[in-house]
Amino acid sequence: MSKFLELVEQHEAYRKRSINLQASENIMSPDALKCLGTDMASRYSLYEPTIDSDAYGGTRYSEDVLHETEKLSREVFGTKYTEVRPLGGHIAAQMVLLSIVKKKENILSISESDGGYTGYQSGFMPEMFCFQNYRIPYNKEEQEIDLEKLQKVMKSTKPKLIMLGQSFFLKPYNLKMVREIADENDSHVAYDASHVLGLVGGKAFQEDIAKYSDIFFGSTHKTFFGPQGGLIFTNNEDIYIKIEKNVTWRTMDNYHISRVASIGTALEEMKAFGKDYAHAVVENSQKLGKSLHERGFPVLYDPWFSFSHQIHIGKKEKNNPQEFLQMSKRLEENGIIIDREGRIGTAEITRMGLYDMEILADLIVKAFEGEKVRKDVESIALNLRMRYWKGYV
Ligand SMILES: *Cc1c(COP(=O)(O)O)cnc(C)c1O
């Protein structure tokens, strides 16, 4: 057998026996997964919307895949325009920035120390595209933008764009107010919903996102349960035209037809089951936060804990960078997977139908305290059945 097929099989057997609480991950339905392993995975299609033509032949079904996915994504997210081809949330972010911000202009984004995305910090995308990034004033205790200070920063930095969204993301914004402040200062509002895209699609987080942002986008594999990729949404025709210009030969060449088919499948599932799914995800993270807190586990933001799929762990020792790594490793020895940055996510367990957060909290705390709970974790994991797709009845 191929070395790689062997590794893939080992990985699958390993993950099947684990409970995955990684906030950036999710699990695809068998239907969405099947799309990835078909003939489409090695085909080309270079569809040019402006001239309604394709540079390649044999694309009659690939183009249907693209257009049906676009149609469905407009329907599910309620915008006039969408772009479904980006290879990831990061590439979608590049398309958005290239379409709105020019060289030497300023943007504002949430700083990394407040949970913002690393890609927007100086040294990464700002350096690549020659613009400046400044910090959005943020109240960490409340996990809210400091709107009063934001007004002042707008005056001093005159940003072309306010980039909202976080990688450590617990609470929706007062988006109406941010919009007003942006309008007063001739600035655009973009919203990186990478982590929360599935919650947005299911109307359980930032329901006013299409109303008050100029453009929003995100990854298709975090709370949105599709394959790895990115989606962009806007109601603004001028911005959309620029986005289209920044896709082919700027941020990518061909798009991945099989992946887009898989996103289309996930959109079908989101349309049918997204509301139930997304609300259950948020309910699970609130319950898990409370249950862990009651057991003395250091969860942040008592008493509300979360309005998203994430809960955040507090550090015991401020200056120990190893703490989250050690915690993650200890849990992983027991079949419980979390990241090494202090986040716990409930998207995947919810999709797998795990709703008893008391039992899960018990296992996490026991593993954390050094007890061996691997057998219990395995027996729970192996008995879960995926929900929120048409194969679940
Ligand atoms: C994960 C993340 C990204 C990058 O997404 P990819 O799909 O991995 O490219 C961008 N922005 C935010 C806020 C993220 O959390």
Side-chain angles (χ1 to χ4, degrees):
M1 202 209 275
S2 147
K3 174 85 202 150
F4 298 96
L5 272 178
E6 217 171 282
L7 287 170
V8 168
E9 279 184 9
Q10 283 168 348
H11 169 91
E12 290 202 318
Y14 169 56
R15 282 299 189 101
K16 212 171 256 165
R17 295 183 136 68
S18 315
I19 293 178
N20 186 24
L21 295 165
Q22 228 143 206
S24 310
E25 290 182 354
N26 214 318
I27 188 162
M28 276 187 277
S29 74
D31 290 347
L33 194 56
K34 191 173 170 191
C35 292
L36 294 178
T38 67
D39 182 74
M40 282 185 172
S42 63
R43 298 299 164 199
Y44 248 88
S45 176
L46 202 60
Y47 178 73
E48 266 302 303
T50 44
I51 46 171
D52 190 26
S53 163
D54 205 303
Y56 293 88
T59 52
R60 54 194 287 192
Y61 298 109
S62 337
E63 280 172 26
D64 283 352
V65 161
L66 180 63
H67 296 139
E68 288 298 319
T69 303
E70 287 167 346
K71 192 170 140 217
L72 206 48
S73 67
R74 288 193 293 266
E75 215 179 296
V76 171
F77 285 87
T79 59
K80 262 201 198 133
Y81 308 103
T82 88
E83 177 46 65
V84 304
R85 294 172 293 176
L87 308 181
H90 185 87
I91 301 294
Q94 292 193 341
M95 291 172 183
V96 169
L97 289 165
L98 286 168
S99 301
I100 299 177
V101 189
K102 292 201 195 73
K103 277 185 184 169
K104 299 202 174 135
E105 289 181 331
N106 295 337
I107 70 161
L108 296 184
S109 70
I110 307 280
S111 79
E112 201 173 9
S113 62
D114 292 326
Y117 179 52
T118 312
Y120 302 127
Q121 318 298 315
S122 311
F124 300 103
M125 283 192 265
E127 191 173 293
M128 280 177 78
F129 302 139
C130 302
F131 55 78
Q132 278 290 329
N133 171 57
Y134 294 94
R135 171 180 181 269
I136 294 177
Y138 194 77
N139 179 339
K140 231 177 161 171
E141 294 301 303
E142 302 295 330
Q143 291 284 296
E144 285 171 5
I145 292 173
D146 186 329
L147 293 165
E148 239 167 74
K149 285 191 185 150
L150 175 63
Q151 276 173 320
K152 285 185 196 140
V153 173
M154 294 295 287
K155 298 274 180 275
S156 61
T157 59
K158 300 194 173 28
K160 185 70 171 288
L161 176 75
I162 303 174
M163 177 64 85
L164 300 174
Q166 293 164 231
S167 296
F168 289 70
F169 207 179
L170 294 172
K171 223 190 214 184
Y173 303 110
N174 184 342
L175 194 53
K176 184 167 185 279
M177 279 307 295
V178 174
R179 172 86 257 170
E180 277 176 29
I181 292 169
D183 283 345
E184 283 163 19
N185 293 276
D186 265 333
S187 180
H188 288 96
V189 178
Y191 197 127
D192 180 345
S194 285
H195 258 277
V196 294
L197 198 66
L199 306 181
V200 169
K203 315 274 183 275
F205 193 91
Q206 202 75 65
E207 280 183 71
D208 53 2
I209 193 167
K211 188 171 177 197
Y212 294 122
S213 68
D214 293 299
I215 190 161
F216 64 99
F217 60 94
S219 310
T220 48
H221 46 270
K222 293 179 180 174
T223 50
F224 189 91
F225 40 49
Q228 282 149 327
L231 290 171
I232 303 177
F233 302 93
T234 183
N235 285 316
N236 183 320
E237 191 182 2
D238 294 339
I239 293 179
Y240 175 67
I241 289 168
K242 288 186 185 136
I243 291 282
E244 293 311 284
K245 202 177 117 194
N246 282 314
V247 179
T248 310
W249 299 313
R250 291 205 168 178
T251 44
M252 49 191 276
D253 185 331
N254 86 96
Y255 69 96
H256 302 162
I257 304 162
S258 56
R259 203 175 50 72
V260 172
S262 179
I263 289 174
T265 307
L267 281 162
E268 284 179 337
E269 293 161 355
M270 194 50 76
K271 185 180 163 185
F273 310 105
K275 275 200 178 137
D276 288 345
Y277 158 75
H279 286 91
V281 169
V282 176
E283 197 175 308
N284 261 351
S285 63
Q286 289 174 343
K287 277 196 207 151
L288 183 60
K290 187 164 171 281
S291 303
L292 285 170
H293 177 75
E294 283 166 0
R295 286 159 180 76
F297 192 81
V299 197
L300 296 174
Y301 307 111
D302 174 36
W304 54 273
F305 302 111
S306 176
F307 296 97
S308 73
H309 62 302
Q310 299 183 3
I311 52 178
H312 294 172
I313 306 167
K315 272 193 173 170
K316 281 221 176 72
E317 309 155 47
K318 276 244 166 347
N319 301 319
N320 182 2
Q322 296 290 309
E323 193 174 323
F324 289 144
L325 175 66
Q326 285 156 359
M327 184 186 289
S328 172
K329 282 189 167 166
R330 191 178 288 181
L331 293 185
E332 197 162 332
E333 280 162 18
N334 288 281
I336 300 170
I337 298 177
I338 63 170
D339 66 28
R340 280 90 195 260
E341 314 215 8
R343 291 175 295 194
I344 292 177
T346 56
E348 181 163 330
I349 54 164
T350 307
R351 188 156 212 220
M352 292 305 294
L354 182 57
Y355 301 120
D356 194 332
M357 294 300 108
E358 301 265 339
I359 288 181
L360 181 59
D362 276 338
L363 290 171
I364 292 172
V365 169
K366 281 182 185 166
F368 176 58
E369 286 169 352
E371 246 183 83
K372 295 205 173 2
V373 294
R374 185 156 185 79
K375 285 266 159 341
D376 298 325
V377 169
E378 271 189 23
S379 87
I380 289 176
L382 289 170
N383 282 302
L384 295 174
R385 253 185 83 208
M386 188 183 295
R387 306 195 182 198
Y388 313 107
W389 72 294
K390 71 174 164 42
Y392 180 82
V393 276

